[in-house]
């Protein structure tokens, strides 16, 4: 799901960016190999049932509970919203609960920072099930992948385009090279022969995430720890792996950009399928709760 | 508009009542003479664009602003929500803004207590217009009718079925009689010959609201003030007027109850018309803001 309406909750003054991101992210999905024949790609703003369920779920959660949500608190802080939180931003956990449950998802892959959102969704599900008197919706489970959120090349906890510490999926060979060269390693590892630290060393984090050969990664770690493996050599190895990894993605991305109508067709089809599913779920929830039906 | 989804914001544990109210209120509308050929009657929960606009408008209002809304504050107090306000309840001003603007209403008849809601709607309109850079929506105006909200028969500021101080539109002749007899007058007007007070005297409030003959109402006030007009005589006069006023409404209501399929047909037609209008407004707003469109 391309979450363009959720993006408005912290981008209401920057709607052009939100609009343009939709096709961009769709192309990223396709470029990394998500196959629209197997995986449905849809646009949130074109699925009214998500808005209807979001509004409904707001009745199953208190204002205080939303304000205590750790992810919301952290994100409010990160955005400098303290003085004036947009109501839509405070309420977005209910919208996420709608996004998850409307598709009857039960396993949700998330970064560790998003686990409170899964808990919040389950609270809403439990409260609704209690009102209905039977398990209308199944509780959901978070799956936190081994490689969750990649750190920025500077070692910051989050990559972000605006912070300039990210490697884009369509980064050029030169950009990849520059990003790897700028990577945060062990600031105390001054001479090649010195022992170096692997923990918190971004190069190793990326090697673990992107190198298929786990044995080689372990050997590199051991070498780095005992000394004799220089940052330049190490970074060359990672750069080669990232160049090989990103080249086909960048090429596919470039081809996809040549035919935006095709991307729109994929989104149109996917959104229609999603509309059928989400409308069905909405009906079952409305009926289960006993709302008036014409 | 029959506001069944808004009713959930303070009735989430009592959905059966909300469901049953929809046809009841529709029959009340028809019984008092609202003509579905002239006036469109629709059901809120069947109009997805209202939910979509509600969620959108939440991005144009801060949590603090909603918490400072005088109507919300008063209603939170009245419902004992202080400790745990449902998020849906705090957010309902944005939903009301959606209900008003989706129909491109510009004049909104409200009780005086609802004026802050109109101001809140205009704030959302102004903020959205500022983001768009042109007047996408027109600001709205409140119309407060001379007879706004009728007091309860006990003199309480609000009639309510649960407080037992209301006269229902389908009240029986005996119920009307009992309600008028129980009406709060001037507690110091003990003997017929004593001067009585008209201000705060519920019988006069109702006479002003329901008696067509303003001159007679003025004459009764003058007589009551100078003494010699007893509460029993005065109440008999009001009772006659209310009996005459409510009899045809009660009769029409009884006939309407015989054919609920007809009521459903009226709501189905009205809701379809409303759906066309609200979807159109939503599209114009989404386009105006520059959201992604497939």
């Amino acid at each position: 799901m391309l979450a363009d309406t959720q993006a408005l909750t912290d981008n209401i003054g920057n709607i052009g960016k939100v609009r343009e991101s939709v096709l961009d992210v769709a192309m990223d999905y396709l470029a990394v190999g998500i196959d629209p024949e197997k995986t449905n790609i849809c646009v949130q703003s074109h699925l009214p049932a998500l808005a209807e369920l979001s509004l409904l779920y707001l009745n199953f959660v208190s204002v205080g509970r939303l304000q205590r949500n750790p992810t919301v608190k952290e994100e409010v802080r990160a955005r400098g919203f303290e003085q004036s939180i947009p109501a839509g931003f405070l309420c977005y956990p209910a919208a996420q609960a709608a996004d998850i449950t409307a598709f009857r998802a039960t396993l949700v892959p998330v970064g560790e920072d998003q686990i409170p959102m899964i808990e919040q969704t389950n609270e809403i599900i439990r409260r609704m099930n209690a009102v209905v008197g039977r398990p209308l919706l199944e509780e959901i489970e978070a799956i936190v992948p081994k490689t969750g959120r990649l750190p920025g090349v500077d070692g910051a906890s989050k990559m972000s385009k605006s912070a300039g510490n990210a490697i884009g999926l369509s980064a050029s060979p030169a950009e990849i090279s520059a990003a790897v060269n700028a990577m945060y390693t062990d600031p105390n590892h001054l001479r090649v022969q010195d022992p170096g630290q692997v923990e918190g060393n971004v190069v190793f984090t990326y090697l673990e995430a992107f190198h298929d050969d786990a044995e080689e990664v372990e050997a590199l770690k051991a070498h780095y720890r005992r000394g004799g493996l220089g940052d330049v050599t190490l970074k060359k190895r990672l750069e080669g792996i990232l160049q090989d990894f990103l080249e086909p993605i960048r090429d596919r991305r470039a081809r996809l950009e040549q035919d935006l109508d095709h991307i729109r067709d994929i989104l149109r089809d996917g959104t229609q399928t999603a509309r059928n599913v989400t409308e069905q779920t909405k009906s079952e929830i409305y009926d289960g709760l006993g709302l008036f039906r014409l």
Side-chain angles (χ1 to χ4, degrees), chain A residues 24 32 76 96 103 177 211 234 242 254-255 273 279 288 290:
Chain A
D24 274 344
V32 297
V76 161
Q96 282 203 340
F103 295 97
S177 183
H211 194 13
L234 183 71
L242 288 182
R255 281 195 302 277
T273 304
E279 290 293 332

Side-chain angles (χ1 to χ4, degrees), chain A residues 2 27 37 88 95 123 132-133 136 167 191 204 241 254 266 288 293:
Chain A
L2 299 156
M27 285 188 284
E37 297 293 318
E123 279 179 32
V132 175
L136 185 61
I167 306 179
R191 292 172 307 177
F204 281 105
I241 291 162
I266 289 171
R293 301 278 75 200

Side-chain angles (χ1 to χ4, degrees), chain A residues 6 9-10 69-82 85-86 89-90 92-93 96 113-114 117 149 158:
Chain A
Q6 187 185 315
T9 65
D10 60 348
N69 183 309
T71 312
V72 173
K73 275 168 85 169
E74 167 56 23
E75 292 181 344
V76 161
R77 197 199 53 70
R79 283 162 183 75
F81 274 159
E82 285 87 349
I85 306 171
F89 193 81
L90 182 71
Y92 94 77
Q96 282 203 340
D113 58 312
Q114 295 292 316
M117 291 301 182
R149 202 161 70 170
K158 205 169 175 172

Side-chain angles (χ1 to χ4, degrees), chain A residues 171-284:
Chain A
S172 69
E175 284 168 337
I176 296 167
S177 183
V180 174
N181 283 333
M183 264 186 193
Y184 181 85
T185 56
D186 172 0
N188 300 316
H189 185 234
L190 301 176
R191 292 172 307 177
V192 173
Q193 63 266 36
D194 289 344
Q197 196 175 316
V198 164
E199 290 69 32
N201 186 318
V202 177
V203 179
F204 281 105
T205 310
Y206 276 63
L207 277 171
E208 283 183 334
F210 293 102
H211 194 13
D212 289 332
D213 185 344
E215 272 181 43
E216 192 194 334
V217 175
E218 287 312 307
L220 288 167
K221 281 187 189 173
H223 193 178
Y224 196 79
R225 282 192 175 116
R226 74 177 172 263
L229 175 56
D231 280 10
V232 173
T233 311
L234 183 71
K235 284 181 169 181
K236 274 278 161 242
R237 187 75 193 97
L238 174 63
E239 194 200 320
I241 291 162
L242 288 182
Q243 296 283 11
D244 289 350
F245 182 77
L246 288 170
E247 187 186 353
I249 295 176
R250 182 175 58 238
D251 291 352
R252 275 197 296 269
R253 185 80 163 64
R255 281 195 302 277
L256 289 161
E257 282 168 18
Q258 300 310 307
D259 190 1
L260 293 183
D261 282 345
H262 175 59
I263 314 296
R264 284 181 181 273
D265 282 342
I266 289 171
L267 296 186
R268 215 171 271 124
D269 287 353
T271 301
Q272 187 52 53
T273 304
R275 196 185 305 247
N276 298 341
V277 174
T278 55
E279 290 293 332
Q280 175 66 28
T281 306
K282 181 192 81 176
S283 287
E284 288 169 20

